[in-house]
Amino acid sequence: MLKSPLELPASPSVAPAATTSLRGNRAAKGSRSLANLLSEEFENKIRQGLLQEGDKLPTETELVRSYDVSRTVVREALSKLQASGLVETKHGIGTFVLPARRTPGLVLSAHELSESVDVLAVLELRISLETEAAGLAATRRQEPHLRAMRSALQAFEQNFALGRETVSHDLDFHLSIAKATGNRYFQEILQHFGSMLIPRNRIASIHIPTRDPDYLKRVNREHEEIFSAIERQDADSARAAMRIHLTNSRERLRLAQRLAQEQQATAAPDTAR
């Protein structure tokens, strides 16, 4: 059991003692969003060992009530933690703290840092577009659509296991969802971008096995969550799973940008000498 007023019990069966609003903290700490403050709150707990590997975070409902924030804020905060590799969400079970990473973080080259601005813009578009596409696909999908999605997931997993490229299968999965909407414009827009939709196809260091060996495993787990929701025709869960998947990519890229910028700023004084 955590003892600080801001610290919540790991078990969802134990209710927090009191509500602690983050809104005043935002005013005190400047323009950082509530989602940033909440993710930082839990990141600090994990870094300090107050939350350890395997510990379960409070439920969305508990976080909403305890921190006086919306579910959107909670979900964005959890996405930031997932993108940082600190936690993992298991559908229908909860969010758990992952083992501490022993590999260096993602660092972008100068070219990749410039490229990442455009990739980030595409991800923002995809979050809006594909979240709704997933919801529509859940209500309109037919068995051939499910077979196409399942085939893409299997090909992704097989090629990942063999160390082969997975970008084309990643794209196939997203295109099969767009096709299942029954609205050709979703598919046409995604096809227009082609493999450029997939961030790691444009920024090589987004996936470097020695830095983040579990990255593609997480991607495929997120794909499985989306597929499962579409298969059972749960539109709300499909939208949520797609939003989490793409938001994780966005937050991971934002983190990489920040680290690269900090590295450049640190190196600048040495260069000037």
Side-chain angles (χ1 to χ4, degrees), residues 174-242:
H174 286 272
L175 286 174
S176 64
I177 293 173
K179 187 174 182 178
T181 66
N183 183 331
R184 67 184 178 88
Y185 294 109
F186 281 104
Q187 189 175 5
E188 287 178 4
I189 291 173
L190 296 190
Q191 285 176 329
H192 172 75
F193 287 101
S195 62
M196 294 298 100
L197 278 175
I198 312 303
R200 65 184 181 278
N201 194 49
R202 299 178 67 180
I203 300 178
S205 60
I206 280 183
H207 170 53
I208 296 180
T210 56
R211 290 180 177 171
D212 190 356
D214 295 326
Y215 170 63
L216 289 179
K217 289 182 181 179
R218 290 200 304 275
V219 168
N220 213 32
R221 280 198 298 268
E222 290 168 6
H223 285 168
E224 292 283 359
E225 294 287 352
I226 298 166
F227 172 76
S228 177
I230 292 174
E231 184 178 39
R232 64 178 186 270
Q233 296 188 299
D234 185 341
D236 288 341
S237 292
R239 290 188 184 96
M242 181 64 81

Side-chain angles (χ1 to χ4, degrees), residues 15 50 70 74 84 108 113 143 148 151 178 263 267:
L50 297 173
S70 68
V74 169
S84 298
L108 303 181
L113 183 58
E143 187 58 35
S151 175
Q263 186 181 58

Side-chain angles (χ1 to χ4, degrees), residues 59-262:
T59 65
E60 279 189 11
T61 301
E62 287 177 325
L63 292 173
V64 167
R65 182 175 64 248
S66 301
Y67 287 91
D68 186 27
V69 294
S70 68
R71 286 188 180 274
T72 298
V73 166
V74 169
R75 288 168 182 169
E76 288 183 4
L78 292 177
S79 288
K80 290 175 185 293
L81 293 171
Q82 290 171 10
S84 298
L86 296 174
V87 303
E88 175 186 17
T89 297
K90 299 179 180 179
H91 180 73
I93 301 176
T95 300
F96 298 86
V97 177
L98 288 171
R101 287 186 181 176
R102 294 179 173 82
T103 52
L106 171 63
V107 178
L108 303 181
S109 66
H111 169 73
E112 288 178 329
L113 183 58
S114 175
E115 184 82 354
S116 69
V117 175
D118 187 45
V119 175
L120 188 59
V122 173
L123 277 170
E124 290 176 348
L125 172 65
R126 291 182 65 195
I127 289 171
S128 298
L129 184 73
E130 293 194 66
T131 295
E132 185 57 26
L136 290 174
T139 62
R140 300 174 180 176
R141 96 292 185 278
Q142 302 295 326
E143 187 58 35
H145 300 134
L146 294 178
R147 286 198 296 269
M149 293 177 210
R150 193 179 294 113
S151 175
L153 289 177
Q154 291 172 345
F156 185 110
E157 185 174 4
Q158 291 167 359
N159 280 269
F160 164 66
L162 294 172
R164 297 173 181 168
E165 71 88 18
T166 56
V167 169
S168 61
H169 309 297
D170 196 332
L171 179 61
D172 285 345
F173 177 69
H174 286 272
L175 286 174
S176 64
I177 293 173
K179 187 174 182 178
T181 66
N183 183 331
R184 67 184 178 88
Y185 294 109
F186 281 104
Q187 189 175 5
E188 287 178 4
I189 291 173
L190 296 190
Q191 285 176 329
H192 172 75
F193 287 101
S195 62
M196 294 298 100
L197 278 175
I198 312 303
R200 65 184 181 278
N201 194 49
R202 299 178 67 180
I203 300 178
S205 60
I206 280 183
H207 170 53
I208 296 180
T210 56
R211 290 180 177 171
D212 190 356
D214 295 326
Y215 170 63
L216 289 179
K217 289 182 181 179
R218 290 200 304 275
V219 168
N220 213 32
R221 280 198 298 268
E222 290 168 6
H223 285 168
E224 292 283 359
E225 294 287 352
I226 298 166
F227 172 76
S228 177
I230 292 174
E231 184 178 39
R232 64 178 186 270
Q233 296 188 299
D234 185 341
D236 288 341
S237 292
R239 290 188 184 96
M242 181 64 81
R243 178 172 287 276
I244 287 171
H245 171 53
L246 296 176
T247 301
N248 283 352
S249 294
R250 181 189 66 184
E251 295 307 324
R252 178 180 172 83
L253 186 54
R254 283 179 173 172
L255 175 63
Q257 287 177 330
R258 192 185 76 219
L259 292 174
Q261 289 165 347
E262 289 174 355

Side-chain angles (χ1 to χ4, degrees), residues 35-51:
N36 283 337
L37 291 174
L38 185 56
S39 66
E40 288 172 7
E41 175 79 12
F42 280 91
E43 181 175 350
N44 289 336
K45 288 179 174 61
I46 294 168
R47 303 290 188 201
Q48 294 166 13
L50 297 173
L51 287 171

